[in-house]
Amino acid sequence: MHKKKYPFTQNRELSWLKFNQRVLEEAADQRVPLLERLKFAAIFTSNLDEFFQVRCGSLTDMGLVDPNQIDSKSGMTPDEQLSAIYRETKHLYTMRDNIMKNLNKILVALHIMPVAWKDLNKKQKQHLTRYFDSQMMPLLAPQIIDFHHPFPFLINKELYVFFQLIEDGKKRYGLVPIPDYLERIVYLNDEKTEYILAENIILHNLERIFPKQKILFKTIIRVTRNADINLDAKDIEEDEDYRQYMKKILKRRSRLAPVRLEVYKNYSEEPINYLCSQLHLSKQQVFVTKNSPLEFAHIFKLIDQLPAELKKPLLYEPFTPETNNRLNPDKPIIPQVLDHDVLLSYPYEDIDQFIRLLKEASEDENVISIKITIYRLAKNSKIVHYLRRAVENGKDVTVLMELRARFDENHNIYNAERLEEVGCNVIYGFDDYKVHSKIMEITYKTDNGLKTITQIGTGNYNEKTSHQYTDFSFITSREDIGKDATNFFQNMNISNLNGTYEKILVSPHQLKEKIISELDHQIELANEGKPACASFKMNSLTDLDIISKLAQASQAGVKIRMIIRGISDLLPGLEGLTDNIEIHSVVGRYLEHSRIYIFGCGPEAKVYISSADFMTRNTERRVEVAVPIEDPELKKKLLDYFETQFSDDAKGRKLLSSGYYSNVETDRDEPFNSQDYFMQQAKENKFVAPPEPVIKPEPVKPIKKSWIARLLGK
């Protein structure tokens, strides 16, 4: 290992693994409902799958291109980084096995049982053997590997039974692919509380497929392949449609080189060495699991199928997002947002309020156009439905669809085609820059001329994830921000990344410069002996320019506090380097996804929300948007949000200078969970219509007798 160029940084991949360990720790937390703990184990596994496909895949490629390239933040070559990742990951596998062993004990006590073959009674084994013969074996395609049947291609993340047998005195290897169309969960009772996984049934009935051979070794395996595809515009034919090019390039993903081999329980040197030689993997890249299945996707279906009365107390208490206190749900949205700014906070407030705005815009005769950038969408997206309706109703609709949203590429291609077929103007951004911004503009005709409604958010236009991720969505009719939004979409249409804007910050050519400029201003204040602060909430921090500026600001006396959910390449609290930086991480019921930038101290601070993390890919290689929040009430909402979450000592952890996490120390008697607090606040602050004014009748004045007399002429 070489000397680090930056003494206050750590390796990003190891930092990410520590974050994913925090996810796994939620599966061990006894304060978390039991079935939610099972979900966290599944999320940890899914996260790790993607990490190996993308990050390990990228490092593997890097090692082939330039094996001596040194990571400036850790002093490691690509191979050294991979070796460190493999060592750390093996500890995580052991940790997951121990957690799953304990979880399964509790589940069995509650009669929710994943049953091992050895624990089946005679009647159950007979039933499953008949089930295997009639329902499974006809669908299997076993293969013996020999001269005429070479080692097959193993599909990314698919399950296989791998075995060694002896036939005519010769040892041979074979594979049984487990088709993904098989029912993965096979229930053993009508209540659907006892079950066995399909791969275990096949594993234990392998001898029925090869009755004349002796099975020497058998196990279940899964291969993970590199999914880090690099797109090169030079490969696109001159007359080729961009969508068709993307479809073609995506086919390559499933055939890229293996980066990991997982083995279930049974391990033997000779067969595993054979697999490694065929897959060109080292023993470092082999991971054995003892008490956990290799694939956890079935967990969510399993929980859905459990009897309601059994699972209800074992899950989080249901939470319904509330209405924002600035939006009357009984009145149209458009007139309200034309009148005042709104800041939605997901998942505590309902994304349906935004969708209602889009629905109204699709139908309102005064709406002329809708423009929007899209990165990820829900299945059967209402967003796409109302954009299509807007086109059908004669609106001019422009959608900038990013086709390179990793693992959502096919879904985005499908939606782009659906939008184009009704006449929507769909554009695809830039060759070298992903468009990751979340911005929408509605142009509205009024008696006083054209007005704009602009929405800028921190998260995707995705109805499903808005109930799982924390994000902010700002809606305004401010003329200056509307003008910026108009310029932004015009620039996107003409592929101009160098546009200038009055209020919003746009990467790759403006956002980072503004962040550094604002930090420089805080440094100047500190040098003058004035209060100087900066606070940030985001998912990841890797940009070296910003990291260096944060370290400089720290040593100038600027108080820096950060909430970083995942990767932090910056190490806080290092004496003489980052003394004044404190970093927390919150992992809880909801995935923390919002980005907040705060420059300054107290209520006078400048506050932004943004789609961009402080990662080099966001600040230099993506189109991102940040917007200032200047409405005093909404700004206070964000400042209070940050302070509340920074004080979380239930799900919050403090990043140490070693790169590990510790509990957040407070004087409270009871741990404080910020997400629980925000749910309660949403209930208390939801919109309540003011009571209808009571019109009191005017009191009847007594008629004076003298007046009556005059009236009667008396």
Side-chain angles (χ1 to χ4, degrees):
M1 186 184 297
H2 297 73
K3 186 177 179 180
K4 291 196 297 185
K5 184 177 180 180
Y6 300 89
F8 42 77
T9 56
Q10 65 173 333
N11 180 262
R12 65 168 282 173
E13 321 306 346
L14 299 182
S15 176
W16 184 91
L17 287 172
K18 293 184 181 77
F19 151 69
N20 206 31
Q21 179 177 326
R22 288 273 295 107
V23 175
L24 187 57
E25 286 169 0
E26 289 296 294
D29 189 340
Q30 295 181 8
R31 296 171 297 183
V32 176
L34 182 64
L35 295 179
E36 302 291 354
R37 292 167 65 182
L38 209 54
K39 289 181 185 178
F40 275 113
I43 294 167
F44 161 84
T45 303
S46 175
N47 287 347
L48 199 60
D49 288 348
E50 184 172 332
F51 175 78
F52 266 85
Q53 289 181 95
V54 177
R55 295 307 306 165
C56 292
S58 178
L59 284 169
T60 301
D61 290 344
M62 202 181 298
L64 294 172
V65 173
D66 185 1
N68 297 315
Q69 182 178 344
I70 305 301
D71 172 42
S72 59
K73 299 168 188 172
S74 61
M76 292 191 283
T77 64
D79 282 349
E80 287 171 339
Q81 291 182 72
L82 286 168
S83 293
I85 288 167
Y86 301 148
R87 286 194 302 272
E88 190 67 29
T89 302
K90 288 184 190 295
H91 295 313
L92 294 177
Y93 270 75
T94 301
M95 183 177 172
R96 185 183 64 180
D97 270 340
N98 292 335
I99 289 170
M100 288 302 299
K101 183 178 180 180
N102 292 331
L103 282 177
N104 284 334
K105 283 181 181 178
I106 304 170
L107 289 166
V108 167
L110 294 170
H111 304 289
I112 304 172
M113 290 184 278
V115 183
W117 187 268
K118 64 181 178 61
D119 297 326
L120 295 169
N121 60 40
K122 184 178 179 180
K123 185 177 178 181
Q124 287 172 325
K125 284 184 180 177
Q126 289 174 343
H127 164 70
L128 287 175
T129 300
R130 289 194 298 270
Y131 179 84
F132 173 79
D133 289 343
S134 63
Q135 303 296 318
M136 301 181 87
M137 191 150 65
L139 300 175
L140 301 179
Q143 177 182 337
I144 296 294
I145 301 165
D146 57 23
F147 179 76
H148 297 288
H149 305 90
F151 191 86
F153 179 86
L154 302 188
I155 298 171
N156 182 41
K157 297 195 298 181
E158 292 293 309
L159 295 171
Y160 296 82
V161 172
F162 170 69
F163 58 90
Q164 183 187 53
L165 52 73
I166 189 163
E167 184 179 24
D168 299 330
K170 292 183 179 179
K171 289 182 181 179
R172 299 175 189 266
Y173 293 105
L175 287 159
V176 181
I178 300 175
D180 57 10
Y181 48 78
L182 277 181
E183 281 294 333
R184 180 99 186 283
I185 305 171
V186 179
Y187 290 104
L188 302 173
N189 62 352
D190 293 338
E191 295 78 19
K192 296 187 175 181
T193 57
E194 296 182 14
Y195 66 96
I196 187 169
L197 295 177
E199 60 263 31
N200 288 325
I201 298 174
I202 297 169
L203 180 70
H204 290 283
N205 283 277
L206 191 63
E207 286 78 4
R208 300 183 72 78
I209 304 176
F210 303 99
K212 296 181 180 180
Q213 291 87 14
K214 181 180 180 182
I215 306 293
L216 302 176
F217 171 80
K218 59 183 178 179
T219 190
I220 302 164
I221 64 169
R222 187 172 78 139
V223 169
T224 310
R225 294 183 176 273
N226 182 354
D228 192 38
I229 296 176
N230 291 314
L231 305 181
D232 191 342
K234 295 193 295 290
D235 294 339
I236 305 177
E237 300 292 336
E238 205 169 301
D239 59 348
E240 188 173 17
D241 179 87
Y242 185 64
R243 286 196 313 274
Q244 296 307 315
Y245 169 72
M246 283 298 301
K247 289 178 182 179
K248 183 173 69 177
I249 204 79
L250 288 172
K251 290 179 181 177
R252 298 182 194 172
R253 176 176 286 159
S254 63
R255 303 197 66 83
L256 293 177
V259 291
R260 176 180 62 167
L261 170 65
E262 294 176 284
V263 179
Y264 179 66
K265 285 192 176 181
N266 301 329
Y267 183 94
S268 178
E269 287 290 332
E270 184 183 345
I272 300 305
N273 285 341
Y274 170 79
L275 275 177
C276 287
S277 67
Q278 294 296 321
L279 296 167
H280 306 291
L281 294 172
S282 70
K283 296 293 280 296
Q284 287 186 103
Q285 294 167 279
V286 179
F287 299 88
V288 183
T289 179
K290 297 290 185 183
N291 302 308
S292 310
L294 298 183
E295 216 282 336
F296 272 72
H298 69 286
I299 291 294
F300 299 95
K301 183 177 180 181
L302 171 71
I303 292 171
D304 285 343
Q305 296 286 328
L306 286 172
E309 67 276 6
L310 178 60
K311 68 182 177 183
K312 184 177 179 181
L314 304 178
L315 294 167
Y316 287 127
E317 184 179 339
F319 174 75
T320 302
E322 299 289 354
T323 52
N324 183 277
N325 62 3
R326 287 190 168 198
L327 287 177
N328 185 338
D330 298 324
K331 294 184 177 181
I333 299 287
I334 287 178
Q336 296 183 72
V337 297
L338 285 171
D339 179 69
H340 54 263
D341 292 351
V342 173
L343 181 68
L344 300 177
S345 177
Y346 308 145
Y348 313 111
E349 295 171 346
D350 203 339
I351 194 175
D352 280 353
Q353 297 165 108
F354 167 76
I355 292 172
R356 274 188 59 205
L357 170 65
L358 185 58
K359 178 179 183 293
E360 288 179 22
S362 73
E363 299 169 344
D364 193 318
E365 62 181 15
N366 292 311
V367 169
I368 298 171
S369 66
I370 303 171
K371 302 180 182 71
I372 190 170
T373 60
I374 291 177
Y375 194 74
R376 297 189 196 276
L377 291 163
K379 290 181 180 177
N380 303 315
S381 170
K382 293 179 183 177
I383 308 294
V384 172
H385 173 74
Y386 289 124
L387 290 171
R388 282 168 55 97
R389 180 182 291 184
V391 176
E392 291 163 354
N393 288 335
K395 317 298 180 192
D396 179 29
V397 178
T398 298
V399 175
L400 198 166
M401 181 74 77
E402 180 50 75
L403 296 188
R404 294 166 297 174
R406 188 177 280 122
F407 304 122
D408 271 349
E409 297 97 338
N410 284 319
H411 186 51
N412 285 4
I413 290 169
Y414 165 74
N415 281 303
E417 291 172 343
R418 287 190 67 216
L419 288 164
E420 279 198 343
E421 72 185 12
V422 295
C424 180
N425 176 34
V426 180
I427 57 177
Y428 298 111
F430 307 87
D431 293 338
D432 300 320
Y433 300 88
K434 284 186 182 181
V435 179
H436 188 250
S437 54
K438 290 71 165 108
I439 180 170
M440 180 184 77
E441 182 188 42
I442 298 167
T443 306
Y444 190 83
K445 181 174 60 178
T446 72
D447 292 339
N448 298 318
L450 296 181
K451 279 189 170 292
T452 56
I453 298 169
T454 307
Q455 181 274 338
I456 298 175
T458 67
N460 295 301
Y461 299 108
N462 187 318
E463 301 95 295
K464 182 179 178 181
T465 58
S466 74
H467 292 277
Q468 301 165 342
Y469 295 7
T470 71
D471 273 305
F472 289 106
S473 176
F474 177 58
I475 307 170
T476 183
S477 62
R478 281 179 46 176
E479 189 176 338
D480 50 0
I481 292 176
K483 183 180 177 182
D484 279 353
T486 300
N487 290 339
F488 174 84
F489 282 106
Q490 287 176 349
N491 286 327
M492 295 303 101
N493 270 313
I494 62 173
S495 300
N496 175 26
L497 290 171
N498 294 293
T500 56
Y501 306 94
E502 182 182 348
K503 285 290 182 179
I504 67 173
L505 309 178
V506 179
S507 67
H509 295 308
Q510 186 187 14
L511 186 142
K512 183 184 202 174
E513 289 76 4
K514 181 66 172 178
I515 291 162
I516 289 175
S517 170
E518 290 290 351
L519 286 170
D520 280 334
H521 178 61
Q522 294 303 313
I523 291 171
E524 290 173 10
L525 292 175
N527 289 337
E528 294 169 5
K530 297 176 182 177
C533 314
S535 302
F536 305 97
K537 180 182 184 298
M538 62 193 63
N539 303 320
S540 298
L541 169 63
T542 67
D543 188 296
L544 267 174
D545 295 327
I546 295 177
I547 288 172
S548 298
K549 185 58 66 174
L550 289 167
Q552 179 189 347
S554 161
Q555 297 318 105
V558 180
K559 183 180 180 181
I560 296 169
R561 296 178 304 161
M562 307 187 79
I563 303 169
I564 303 176
R565 185 196 76 214
I567 300 166
S568 173
D569 286 356
L570 173 63
L571 291 171
L574 286 169
E575 187 176 352
L577 295 169
T578 55
D579 298 87
N580 288 317
I581 300 177
E582 185 173 348
I583 298 176
H584 291 192
S585 172
V586 175
V587 175
R589 173 174 180 170
Y590 301 116
L591 182 79
E592 290 296 333
H593 191 255
S594 55
R595 292 92 166 182
I596 307 172
Y597 312 157
I598 303 169
F599 302 100
C601 308
E604 302 306 314
K606 294 181 181 178
V607 180
Y608 292 80
I609 63 167
S610 177
S611 59
D613 292 315
F614 288 174
M615 302 182 77
T616 308
R617 72 180 188 189
N618 299 95
T619 59
E620 295 184 4
R621 297 194 296 274
R622 287 187 176 183
V623 178
E624 307 272 10
V625 173
V627 62
I629 307 300
E630 297 178 341
D631 178 293
E633 184 182 328
L634 301 186
K635 187 163 89 167
K636 184 178 185 302
K637 180 177 179 177
L638 289 169
L639 291 170
D640 289 347
Y641 187 100
F642 182 91
E643 295 297 332
T644 299
Q645 188 147 90
F646 197 79
S647 67
D648 189 323
D649 59 348
K651 297 302 178 183
R653 298 291 184 272
K654 181 178 179 180
L655 181 61
L656 305 176
S657 57
S658 62
Y660 290 92
Y661 290 93
S662 71
N663 290 332
V664 174
E665 295 180 5
T666 65
D667 297 328
R668 295 190 185 93
D669 295 330
E670 294 292 330
F672 173 71
N673 185 317
S674 60
Q675 293 186 350
D676 286 350
Y677 174 83
F678 293 136
M679 283 190 284
Q680 185 59 36
Q681 284 291 103
K683 291 177 183 177
E684 293 175 3
N685 295 334
K686 66 181 179 181
F687 181 87
V688 177
E692 292 290 333
V694 178
I695 302 173
K696 294 181 180 180
E698 298 237 353
V700 179
K701 294 181 180 179
I703 300 176
K704 295 179 181 180
K705 188 175 181 182
S706 59
W707 181 83
I708 297 174
R710 287 197 303 272
L711 183 65
L712 297 174
K714 294 182 180 180

